[in-house]
Amino acid sequence: MTEREHFIPIRVTDLVEYLCRESGPRSGQTLTADEQERFRRFARAISFHLHTVYLAELRRLKDAYAPFDPDADPKPLVPISEEQRAAALNRLFETFVHLMQRANYIRLDRDDFERIMQGASAWGVDMRVNWDIFDQVELFCRGKGTSRRFLRRWRKRFRREEIVVPTFRRFVVMLKQKDHPKLGPTADTRSVFLKLFKDIPQMDVEMLLPGTRIKMPLLERFKLGGSLTSSLGYVGWKLSTMSLTALSAALTLSTTAAFLTLYTPVALILGYGYKTWYSFQVSKQTYSLQLTQSLYYQNLDNNGGVMYRLLDEAEEQETREALLAYFYLWRYAGDRGWTPKELDDYIELDLERRLEMGLSFEVVDALSKLEKAGLVAVVDGRYRVLPLDAAQQQLDELWRQYVNRTGDATV
């Protein structure tokens, strides 16, 4: 069974229309045309409210990332000192981790990552991660599941074979490199890199990190080692077939004559040595090309683009949570209201029953947003929302406060 996650995989627009159409668990609860229109207006208002909050989040995150953005244009006007840079780096990582939690990503530590990456899928290459090259690194995943892929293998006569592969629907990497011989002198050790990928096989996640080394498959290592061993063995056999007298005579001759006498075994050693080295380089380039091809269609965004995309995802996620919490309390909780657990159970069971969507609803976050906006009242641990018209008036008042406070619609 797929592990339940907090992420709600429904677009806000689709969720609003779904709630307007659904009749609820009891008959006679369908929204009237007037109620549908009022709820759509309320949904737009709460979306604007949360978007306004996220504009401030975006500005703070942009300012935090500016000194470390490798693609920054324009560059910061006043460079910061190294001490300020170190403090800003810590703030950036802390802010980003908080953002990922709000977007319902799962943070992976090194032990989690190494446990997941054991082996390689049929489409990936097995690699070894060098953790010493990183100053700081953070890894996040969302959407653990499986996907179906197709493969043709020679041992099955290249017939099309379906394979179920455990995947991450989204995987995010945030890292800063440090000076290290493995990276070379041209490595960028001052920037912070952000990478977002989709549909990554869980066993291949190490491919997403820089500075990794390819682990040659056992068959390739056997072939390379076999070539070298066989060549050395042949040279040894060739020398052993030469009589002791012939070998002594060759060594007492001039240097040129001795070299010509031993030309064949020496040439074999050099030739097989070069062939072995060249074969290794070709194999390494083949696996590097395979890695590039594997990630070409799975890279969603980089650096600043990742930040904007994730902020948008976090905003959408919080909007979905707020809409679900308000709607279910408004339509089904009655005058007594519900406890957080009752609301949580009701939403999870209802979505699973009607949409076949198993998720773990973040009821505390959802109620906290409604409470901060003044849309819910708490009496004896039970939550009751304002009626739809009163809630709309409250959101309109919040909007006027934003405008009066700043001269525009931001905070």
Side-chain angles (χ1 to χ4, degrees), residues 48-171:
F48 291 154
H49 165 67
L50 291 174
H51 180 66
T52 301
V53 174
Y54 268 88
L55 285 176
E57 292 279 350
L58 174 60
R59 185 177 292 116
R60 284 192 290 269
L61 195 53
K62 283 174 60 178
D63 291 342
Y65 189 49
F68 307 98
D69 186 357
D71 307 320
D73 185 24
K75 300 291 184 182
L77 183 62
V78 180
I80 60 177
S81 67
E82 289 303 316
E83 290 184 0
Q84 292 173 323
R85 188 177 180 83
L89 179 66
N90 290 331
R91 285 196 304 272
L92 173 61
F93 271 81
E94 290 173 2
T95 303
F96 193 80
V97 169
H98 179 63
L99 169 65
M100 298 303 290
Q101 292 171 344
R102 294 172 67 175
N104 286 333
Y105 278 77
I106 298 173
R107 185 182 185 186
L108 301 175
D109 60 24
R110 178 173 170 176
D111 291 338
D112 294 331
F113 188 82
E114 291 185 338
R115 184 175 61 255
I116 292 168
M117 74 179 194
Q118 295 300 318
S121 74
W123 294 267
V125 292
D126 201 8
M127 309 186 79
R128 180 179 293 107
V129 177
N130 187 350
W131 297 99
D132 294 334
I133 69 172
F134 301 119
D135 187 3
Q136 291 192 51
V137 60
E138 292 287 351
L139 308 163
F140 306 89
C141 67
R142 192 183 71 194
K144 292 182 181 179
T146 59
S147 64
R148 294 187 307 160
R149 299 195 179 187
F150 299 92
L151 188 67
R152 298 180 189 271
R153 300 195 231 209
W154 65 268
R155 63 173 178 267
K156 293 196 175 182
R157 301 179 182 179
F158 296 100
R159 286 180 295 185
R160 196 165 183 257
E161 178 185 1
E162 180 180 314
I163 298 178
V164 177
V165 182
T167 60
F168 294 119
R169 294 188 182 92
R170 294 291 184 270
F171 200 92

Side-chain angles (χ1 to χ4, degrees), residues 250-275:
L251 294 175
T252 57
L253 296 174
S254 65
T255 303
T256 302
F259 178 77
L260 291 175
T261 302
L262 299 177
Y263 172 78
T264 299
V266 170
L268 282 172
I269 292 176
L270 295 177
Y272 274 100
Y274 175 77
K275 180 179 180 295

Side-chain angles (χ1 to χ4, degrees), residues 53 87 92 123 152 202 217 228 245 277-278 280 286 289 319 346-347 374 407 410:
V53 174
L92 173 61
W123 294 267
R152 298 180 189 271
Q202 294 183 20
L228 182 60
T245 303
W277 175 85
Y278 182 75
F280 172 78
T286 300
L289 178 61
T319 303
Y346 200 99
I347 292 176
T410 59

Side-chain angles (χ1 to χ4, degrees), residues 158-221:
F158 296 100
R159 286 180 295 185
R160 196 165 183 257
E161 178 185 1
E162 180 180 314
I163 298 178
V164 177
V165 182
T167 60
F168 294 119
R169 294 188 182 92
R170 294 291 184 270
F171 200 92
V172 178
V173 177
M174 182 184 191
L175 62 89
K176 181 181 180 298
Q177 302 173 132
K178 64 182 179 182
D179 291 326
H180 195 278
K182 293 293 184 183
L183 293 176
T186 60
D188 186 346
T189 59
R190 295 184 64 79
S191 300
V192 172
F193 295 94
L194 296 170
K195 302 288 181 181
L196 173 62
F197 302 91
K198 68 172 184 177
D199 299 329
I200 296 294
Q202 294 183 20
M203 295 173 64
D204 296 340
V205 290
E206 70 269 30
M207 297 192 306
L208 310 181
L209 295 178
T212 53
R213 290 194 305 163
I214 295 175
K215 294 181 183 179
M216 296 299 292
L218 184 61
L219 178 61
E220 291 292 331
R221 283 185 284 173

